[in-house]
Amino acid sequence: MAAEADVIVVGAGLAGLVATHELVKAGRRVLVVDQENVENLGGQAFWSLGGLFFVDSPEQRRMGIKDSRELALQDWMGSAGFDRDREDHWPRQWAEAYVDFAAGEKRSYLHELGLRLMPNVGWAERGAGLAYGHGNSVPRFHITWGTGPEVVRVFREPVLDAASRGQVTFRYRHQVDELIVESGAVVGVRGTVLEPSSEPRGVRSSRTPAGEFELRAQAVIVTSGGIGGNPELVKKNWPVDRLGRAPERMITGVPAHVDGRMLEITESAGGNIVNRDRMWHYTEGIVNWDPIWPNHAIRIIPGPSSLWLDANGKRLPVPLFPGFDTLATLKHILSTGQDHSWYILTQSIIEKEFALSGSEQNPDMTGKDLKLLLGRVKKGAPGPVEAFKQHGEDFVVRDNLRDLVDGMNAINPGPPLDYAQVEREVTARDREVDNSFSKDMQMMAIKNARSYLPDKVIRVAKPHRLQDPEHGPMIAVRLNLLTRKTLGGLETNLDSQVIRPDGSVYDGLYAAGEVAGFGGGGVHGYNALEGTFLGGCIFSGRAAGRALGRTLG
């Protein structure tokens, strides 16, 4: 059977588009197969906020942020905690290469494609409290003007232009079931043609078969994403020894098609999976009141001021404040025996500090609507946040603490909260607000955040008592655990070539994006610094496309 293209790309998400773009520039013919329909071109990246990790960027310098490659690498390695000689061999090299990319040509590479950034830089994942430990020492979270759809667009448009010339072909509703291996090399894919689907982007589609297919090429790049939409696989890979028991209930932060199928298929063909127990799930999930996919979750991207209580009404320990240390917080919540926790805050805090993940939850930035964006500085919560406050099943709004706790208990999936316990935590916290000095580490963190001008102006509320009626009403939010990212995956070298279990290169087989742990089989190690997921898709997809562009006959 003749080859249909030079390269087959399995998965039409961001990593697949980037790899295809690079192959097109090298003059190669590309066949892109995906189990979803054309509406899902761009994959999970379309739904993202478009956050990108840059180091010593012009945006940082304009904000007075002093960053460097050395500081970023210290933060990355302190967060990653690489400790496995075999499995972390390539991830360590990917980590250093990615930080070099983020401090070097990443910005110009994307700028030349037409991508532009918001002028303010966010401070995500602020860390565990030590200079050499987990977290970002400085703000590095750059939001794309146009969010996730714009990140997709700058690669989609040149790829579609190549498709119009016949250099790229798309085969939608083609579900790969097997890699074709001949003489020790991957030479194609086989699978099932699924019945046509007209479902909108993100909506679960049919898996009813309508035929079979076999396609051949000189090489195959797997860019099929992670496991976040497959709760059974998440639980199967759960690191009980590190995070404790697997949660009984999680809501889902990605569409159902993020199912992890290609991981097993590639492993069965002889590719090596490493660090499969490393994953990244959020603790601030809320049930989408207007869902698109099953069990649809939205993440609150919080400022630092909300009081965080566990399911028993006890304040989370230092430094588990909103936006500081995701996985340490996840571990603590699970240790309580429950799968949920609570924020207590005020109207003043929600107006300034609550942002929601997802392009669809930020119509001003996604739509590049400057007038709508400027509305964020006015009184009142952003429209999508206010809609969740009014309609979301996880929100309780009351005028006083007694009624608030009663409302929390009305939606509480765990043991009833004791009012006296909650009052003790709220009152103790409020007493720390009345002075310029405080021993409360969260109050110190709020003051530190407000020393950064963009946080003070648009992101962090002025400290106030939670029971101050001038800042009311009081609000409680039930926080659910939320599936999101796979940090381990197919082991790859710096050219994105898949590695066999014996350490040798697998001829004809490449992997990029989340299926490869965003590079190497786990470039993040145990912890992510945020803004690094889209960038990992771009960096690893680029590596695969460029390597094949150089080496194919």
Side-chain angles (χ1 to χ4, degrees):
M1 182 178 180
E4 280 81 7
D6 297 316
V7 180
I8 294 171
V9 175
V10 181
L14 179 60
L17 288 175
V18 175
T20 302
H21 170 64
E22 291 293 337
L23 287 162
V24 165
K25 290 198 300 180
R28 307 301 180 182
R29 294 179 304 120
V30 186
L31 177 59
V32 182
V33 299
D34 196 281
Q35 63 186 356
E36 298 305 313
N37 63 19
V38 65
E39 297 298 325
N40 288 277
L41 184 60
Q44 188 180 335
F46 179 92
W47 300 105
S48 76
L49 189 58
L52 293 166
F53 177 95
F54 292 97
V55 177
D56 192 27
S57 69
E59 290 76 20
Q60 286 177 301
R61 293 194 292 270
R62 281 195 291 268
M63 293 293 112
I65 300 165
K66 295 182 179 180
D67 200 5
S68 67
R69 184 258 186 197
E70 292 74 23
L71 181 60
L73 188 61
Q74 174 179 294
D75 287 348
W76 193 291
M77 294 303 185
S79 298
F82 294 125
D83 59 2
R84 298 170 177 173
D85 291 340
R86 169 67 176 85
E87 295 196 342
D88 285 337
H89 170 73
W90 285 112
R92 282 190 178 97
Q93 296 181 58
W94 272 93
E96 188 162 353
Y98 182 73
V99 171
D100 287 343
F101 180 58
E105 64 175 314
K106 179 181 179 182
R107 191 178 184 282
S108 61
Y109 175 72
L110 294 170
H111 193 272
E112 289 171 5
L113 285 164
L115 187 138
R116 299 295 182 265
L117 304 170
M118 298 282 290
N120 58 302
V121 183
W123 196 353
E125 202 65 15
R126 302 186 186 207
L130 294 173
Y132 54 80
H134 169 57
N136 286 295
S137 295
V138 298
R140 296 191 178 105
F141 191 80
H142 298 65
I143 297 178
T144 301
W145 181 234
T147 69
E150 181 71 1
V151 178
V152 171
R153 181 193 70 79
V154 300
F155 292 101
R156 182 191 67 233
E157 288 186 351
V159 167
L160 290 180
D161 183 59
S164 70
R165 303 191 305 268
Q167 193 177 350
V168 175
T169 303
F170 288 92
R171 298 285 180 89
Y172 297 107
R173 301 296 286 163
H174 279 54
Q175 178 181 271
V176 172
D177 300 321
E178 179 187 358
L179 297 176
I180 302 173
V181 182
E182 294 178 354
S183 302
V186 173
V187 296
V189 295
R190 294 191 185 97
T192 305
V193 179
L194 302 175
E195 69 176 358
S197 168
S198 59
E199 298 289 355
R201 180 186 291 273
V203 175
R204 185 196 289 272
S205 63
S206 162
R207 289 295 178 265
T208 302
E212 297 177 345
F213 70 91
E214 178 177 315
L215 303 167
R216 290 181 176 250
Q218 294 184 60
V220 172
I221 308 176
V222 179
T223 60
S224 55
I227 67 173
N230 187 335
E232 291 78 19
L233 199 51
V234 170
K235 290 181 179 181
K236 179 181 178 181
N237 290 333
W238 193 266
V240 175
D241 59 333
R242 193 171 72 253
L243 294 180
R245 63 176 181 84
E248 295 179 11
R249 177 179 181 268
M250 299 182 79
I251 52 179
T252 308
V254 296
H257 62 73
V258 187
D259 56 19
R261 290 183 71 256
M262 284 304 301
L263 280 164
E264 182 179 355
I265 289 167
T266 308
E267 185 179 35
S268 296
N272 194 40
I273 296 176
V274 294
N275 302 310
R276 67 179 81 220
D277 64 313
R278 292 179 183 169
M279 51 187 70
W280 188 254
H281 304 302
Y282 291 114
T283 53
E284 313 98 332
I286 50 178
V287 177
N288 194 345
W289 63 274
D290 187 19
I292 297 171
W293 54 78
N295 205 23
H296 189 169
I298 296 295
R299 184 205 173 198
I300 296 170
I301 304 174
S305 299
S306 296
L307 181 66
W308 205 338
L309 304 180
D310 66 22
N312 301 307
K314 295 180 180 179
R315 192 174 181 183
L316 270 59
V318 173
L320 306 185
F321 311 134
F324 274 67
D325 192 335
T326 294
L327 291 191
T329 306
L330 174 61
K331 180 178 181 179
H332 179 79
I333 289 170
L334 290 172
S335 74
T336 68
Q338 301 294 323
D339 298 337
H340 70 285
S341 59
W342 299 93
Y343 276 167
I344 293 182
L345 59 148
T346 64
Q347 181 66 24
S348 294
I349 292 173
I350 201 172
E351 289 180 3
K352 201 160 190 177
E353 297 198 6
F354 267 37
L356 301 174
S357 67
S359 55
E360 81 284 10
Q361 300 297 331
N362 295 274
D364 48 357
M365 292 185 287
T366 300
K368 302 182 183 179
D369 189 327
L370 185 59
K371 182 178 180 181
L372 188 59
L373 177 68
L374 292 174
R376 291 192 181 223
V377 302
K378 298 179 181 178
K379 186 173 178 57
V385 173
E386 186 62 31
F388 267 92
K389 191 182 107 179
Q390 293 181 15
H391 305 297
E393 65 182 68
D394 298 301
F395 284 72
V396 179
V397 182
R398 299 289 188 273
D399 290 327
N400 60 75
L401 185 59
R402 171 72 72 174
D403 289 345
L404 189 74
V405 174
D406 288 345
M408 294 163 72
N409 278 328
I411 64 169
N412 193 353
L417 291 162
D418 176 51
Y419 172 75
Q421 170 64 31
V422 176
E423 182 189 37
R424 186 158 50 247
E425 298 286 9
V426 171
T427 301
R429 181 264 186 207
D430 280 359
R431 287 194 184 108
E432 297 290 321
V433 180
D434 293 334
N435 298 289
S436 298
F437 306 98
S438 175
K439 69 177 183 180
D440 189 297
M441 294 293 289
Q442 187 173 5
M443 294 299 106
M444 296 181 192
I446 292 169
K447 290 178 180 179
N448 186 38
R450 286 176 60 83
S451 69
Y452 173 49
L453 184 61
D455 271 5
K456 183 176 182 179
V457 173
I458 63 173
R459 189 70 173 117
V460 182
K462 184 177 180 180
H464 58 273
R465 291 181 294 109
L466 296 175
Q467 297 190 80
D468 185 344
E470 292 187 6
H471 291 274
M474 297 188 75
I475 302 167
V477 185
R478 180 182 60 193
L479 303 174
N480 309 275
L481 304 182
L482 158 65
T483 66
R484 188 57 68 86
K485 299 297 183 184
T486 313
L487 298 189
L490 293 169
E491 185 180 21
T492 58
N493 64 17
L494 290 176
D495 283 336
S496 290
Q497 293 175 287
V498 172
I499 303 300
R500 293 179 178 274
D502 65 3
S504 63
V505 169
Y506 200 144
D507 289 342
L509 183 59
Y510 293 69
E514 193 172 353
V515 74
F518 301 92
V523 66
H524 299 92
Y526 289 100
N527 285 290
L529 288 173
E530 294 289 12
T532 57
F533 301 126
L534 295 177
C537 289
I538 292 167
F539 188 51
S540 59
R542 189 181 85 143
R546 289 188 171 185
L548 281 166
R550 291 191 308 267
T551 60
L552 284 184

